[in-house]
Amino acid sequence: MNSLVFTGGPVITMDPSYPAPEAVGLDNGRIASIGSLSDVLEVLSSESRIIDLEGNTLLPGFIDAHSHILWAAKTRGAPVVDIRAEIVPTYRAAIGKIQRRVAAAMPGEFLLFFGLDAQLHTDMVAPTRALLDEIAPQNPIGIQTSNCHALFMNSLALEACGIHASTPTPVGSEIDRDENGSPTGRVAEAITWHVLDWFYESWGNSRLNTQFEAMIEQFITNGITTVTEHLYLPYYKSYYQWALEHDLPMPRVAAYQQAVTADMKVENLKLGDDRLWMAGVKIHADGSPFIGNIWISKPYLETEITLEKMNLRPGHVGGTNYPQEYFEQMVHTYFNQGWQMSIHTQGDRTIDMVLDVLEEILTSSPRPDHRFRLEHCALMRPDQIERARQLEVLCSFFINHITYWGVPIEDALFGSERAAHYMPAGTAVRNGMQISLHADTPMTDPSCLELMAAATLRQAPDGRCIGPGERLDSESALKSVTIDAAFQIGMEDHLGSLTPGKHADMVILDRNPLQVPYEELKDISVLSTYLAGSCVFER
């Protein structure tokens, strides 16, 4: 590989040892030298190619520390039909789109629709098994919620997936049943991902390969050079191998294998030069604020959305996915195997439970530098952030909840007092925590610049600011999608900054994200993306 030298524009290294260098030199896929142009040229070959930034800004490639790049590919592109509210704004229109797709289907064809939203589909009612039987009498049909935690199915789909009145509900899952014990068609949590595989398998491998390639392109064109697979399953490996064998510009992938039992075999995975590796184990301690299965200390508001569209009872405070003893056994098992633990937590009572378990484990089996992670952290309280910091627990915030669902979060779900500290990234940074921000793709589309805008503005779709005291400044937001995100996945010595010896993963932007108004962050253009020193995207 030829050596490259970048100069002629601002360079943001995210490494305080190199605050404002004139040039950056690459060699053999890594950062070779940083400093003045003359110093860099002295280190590299005389045949090095010089790239003029022309006033554009060079910085490390972005890192989305909680994403699902392969799983996202499952939810995008035909035959999956996108009914998210941003595409189809009303429930009535979504049902119409579903009916049109069914009318064009071959009998027996599995049909899947993604994006049903009790908060944003203004006229939504939960689809019943009877309604879906009427809509699709000859096709197994599934309608997945936009938060990915629940799925509605008709009778043919239930039958195809082996869900009957006598089917036991797996631990960590929900199968809604009527007064006679028959499934209503709605399932949630762990069983959802198992059921969806019946749909994916019916379409064959080539379809997923095609969509995986499209999803890779979407991350790369947004300057994201490292992602996670936070719902990794063992059979995913073949798809990653396929991508690498076909020389696709797949971002580096930190895998977190999904655990629903304490006896799972975790593969000690490593492909390529830091292209795919097993970073840890993920457990869903609770579910989604948008379907009501999180555990909170103060009840949901009693509104049309919570009572009618979400079907919650007055005074609803939710609960956890697993019985506490079962959850503790899982955490103990994989923590004691040496894995980094990544725990999905949304409700404050869930977070109390998780921190209690971790404190007990660290007391009985201390492990320095455990980097225990809490994912999403929607309703985390200030005292819990301080406790997490003392336990050296890290938080990754799903900040796009504010920009997509901020209005119903404040008005319909939790009220202004709790909304003011919803996704409390500002409090965490002020307490000295190295946080990350994430898009949780496929729930929202990948863009670290949009994450930065969300964290600095905290602006809901109607223009209001949700929790001004939790806003970040540009530098903190940029750290959360570069060097601090690298720290959270245990790769700060290899990724996240432009530092000699690290991988040459970089992005060129048309504006400096540290110098534009917060309102313009999401409008910055990614001009080029480099992965291991090779240009894999150029606008």
Side-chain angles (χ1 to χ4, degrees):
M1 180 184 297
N2 294 329
S3 299
L4 301 177
V5 176
F6 293 81
T7 191
V11 177
I12 303 173
T13 66
M14 304 309 295
D15 184 338
S17 300
Y18 303 93
E22 182 184 10
V24 176
L26 318 183
D27 191 42
N28 292 318
R30 297 201 175 244
I31 308 292
S33 181
I34 299 179
S36 68
L37 179 58
S38 59
D39 288 344
V40 169
L41 290 174
E42 279 186 16
V43 172
L44 297 178
S45 163
S46 59
E47 299 178 357
S48 297
R49 177 185 169 203
I50 297 181
I51 296 178
D52 186 356
L53 293 171
E54 299 179 344
N56 297 307
T57 301
L58 179 72
L59 65 158
F62 293 125
I63 300 173
D64 188 326
H66 184 118
S67 51
H68 308 268
I69 184 169
L70 180 60
W71 184 40
K74 296 179 178 182
T75 71
R76 299 288 195 266
V80 178
V81 178
D82 192 344
I83 59 168
R84 287 177 294 167
E86 61 197 84
I87 308 295
V88 186
T90 69
Y91 176 71
R92 180 179 179 181
I95 291 296
K97 191 171 186 178
I98 291 168
Q99 290 171 324
R100 291 191 295 275
R101 177 65 182 90
V102 171
M106 296 291 291
E109 181 182 355
F110 280 68
L111 302 177
L112 183 61
F113 303 85
F114 178 81
L116 190 64
D117 199 313
Q119 289 73 43
L120 301 185
H121 281 128
T122 54
D123 54 342
M124 180 191 150
V125 293
T128 64
R129 177 177 178 175
L131 173 66
L132 299 184
D133 285 346
E134 180 182 345
I135 290 174
Q138 300 184 76
N139 297 90
I141 183 174
I143 304 177
Q144 189 173 11
T145 57
S146 63
N147 52 69
C148 304
H149 284 259
L151 182 73
F152 297 89
M153 295 183 288
N154 67 352
S155 295
L156 289 177
L158 290 167
E159 182 179 346
C161 300
I163 300 176
H164 307 99
S166 60
T167 303
T169 301
V171 179
S173 299
E174 300 174 25
I175 300 176
D176 282 7
R177 304 175 190 270
D178 62 21
E179 62 276 7
N180 299 316
S182 296
T184 65
R186 180 188 179 275
V187 298
E189 296 308 321
I191 194 172
T192 304
W193 309 306
H194 171 69
V195 164
L196 286 171
D197 281 338
W198 287 86
F199 287 82
Y200 305 139
E201 289 169 9
S202 75
W203 302 328
N205 289 341
S206 60
R207 179 264 168 190
L208 185 51
N209 285 337
T210 299
Q211 294 307 321
F212 189 29
E213 184 171 2
M215 188 55 62
I216 286 170
E217 180 181 3
Q218 190 173 0
F219 277 88
I220 288 295
T221 57
N222 280 285
I224 301 171
T225 54
T226 299
V227 300
T228 67
E229 188 66 70
H230 252 86
L231 199 65
Y232 179 87
L233 298 172
Y235 77 86
Y236 284 15
K237 181 178 178 180
S238 63
Y239 292 96
Y240 295 119
Q241 290 174 319
W242 172 86
L244 294 174
E245 289 167 1
H246 285 76
D247 295 322
L248 300 183
M250 185 181 80
R252 303 181 193 278
V253 179
Y256 289 81
Q257 190 162 325
Q258 175 71 15
V260 295
T261 66
D263 57 359
M264 174 186 71
K265 177 177 172 55
V266 185
E267 182 178 4
N268 196 3
L269 179 68
K270 187 170 178 62
L271 293 181
D273 185 13
D274 295 330
R275 297 303 298 275
L276 170 67
W277 68 96
M278 189 63 69
V281 172
K282 178 187 179 181
I283 303 174
H284 280 83
D286 63 6
S288 169
F290 305 130
I291 65 173
N293 61 344
I294 63 173
W295 196 23
I296 52 180
S297 56
K298 182 180 177 182
Y300 277 82
L301 301 181
E302 296 176 15
T303 64
E304 179 185 0
I305 285 179
T306 58
L307 299 179
E308 298 181 16
K309 297 182 180 181
M310 297 171 65
N311 292 322
L312 305 183
R313 295 179 178 178
H316 181 82
V317 295
T320 58
N321 280 4
Y322 301 97
Q324 183 161 342
E325 184 177 346
Y326 192 97
F327 172 77
E328 290 179 6
Q329 184 181 4
M330 285 196 290
V331 177
H332 274 270
T333 295
Y334 301 114
F335 186 91
N336 289 335
Q337 288 178 7
W339 293 109
Q340 181 190 23
M341 299 303 303
S342 171
I343 310 295
H344 173 115
T345 55
Q346 297 275 26
D348 62 329
R349 292 183 73 179
T350 307
I351 293 168
D352 277 334
M353 179 190 76
V354 174
L355 293 177
D356 286 346
V357 171
L358 177 60
E359 186 168 8
E360 184 273 321
I361 290 175
L362 290 176
T363 299
S364 59
S365 306
R367 193 213 308 180
D369 198 21
H370 53 78
R371 303 197 194 185
F372 197 101
R373 287 181 52 169
L374 301 183
E375 308 299 326
H376 310 321
C377 309
L379 291 165
M380 195 171 190
R381 304 187 309 264
D383 64 292
Q384 292 174 323
I385 289 174
E386 173 58 24
R387 186 183 179 195
R389 188 192 64 79
Q390 292 177 358
L391 292 170
E392 298 182 340
V393 171
L394 304 168
C395 294
S396 186
F397 293 99
F398 187 1
I399 198 65
N400 282 352
H401 272 208
I402 299 294
T403 50
Y404 284 77
W405 294 275
V407 172
I409 283 169
E410 182 166 52
D411 294 349
L413 303 185
F414 302 115
S416 57
E417 182 180 346
R418 281 183 286 180
H421 299 287
Y422 192 93
M423 299 290 173
T427 299
V429 168
R430 287 192 295 273
N431 273 266
M433 186 185 292
Q434 291 177 266
I435 71 163
S436 66
L437 302 174
H438 62 262
D440 201 14
T441 307
M443 191 170 172
T444 65
D445 291 333
S447 170
C448 287
L449 289 165
E450 288 187 4
L451 294 177
M452 291 181 62
T456 54
L457 293 171
R458 292 182 65 95
Q459 189 174 63
D462 67 352
R464 77 179 81 170
C465 178
I466 305 290
E470 295 295 350
R471 290 181 294 189
L472 299 182
D473 59 37
S474 295
E475 184 176 1
S476 297
L478 184 56
K479 289 175 67 177
S480 74
V481 293
T482 55
I483 188 61
D484 286 353
F487 179 82
Q488 287 206 353
I489 61 174
M491 292 293 284
E492 72 276 12
D493 292 338
H494 304 276
L495 304 170
S497 68
L498 303 182
T499 302
K502 289 190 176 184
H503 291 298
D505 298 349
M506 308 182 304
V507 62
I508 299 175
L509 306 178
D510 70 343
R511 280 168 283 174
N512 185 335
L514 298 182
Q515 294 183 354
V516 302
Y518 298 158
E519 292 80 5
E520 296 181 14
L521 282 168
K522 67 181 187 306
D523 299 321
I524 292 175
S525 290
V526 174
L527 301 180
S528 303
T529 305
Y530 285 78
L531 185 62
S534 294
C535 183
V536 292
F537 167 70
E538 190 165 24
R539 189 171 298 281

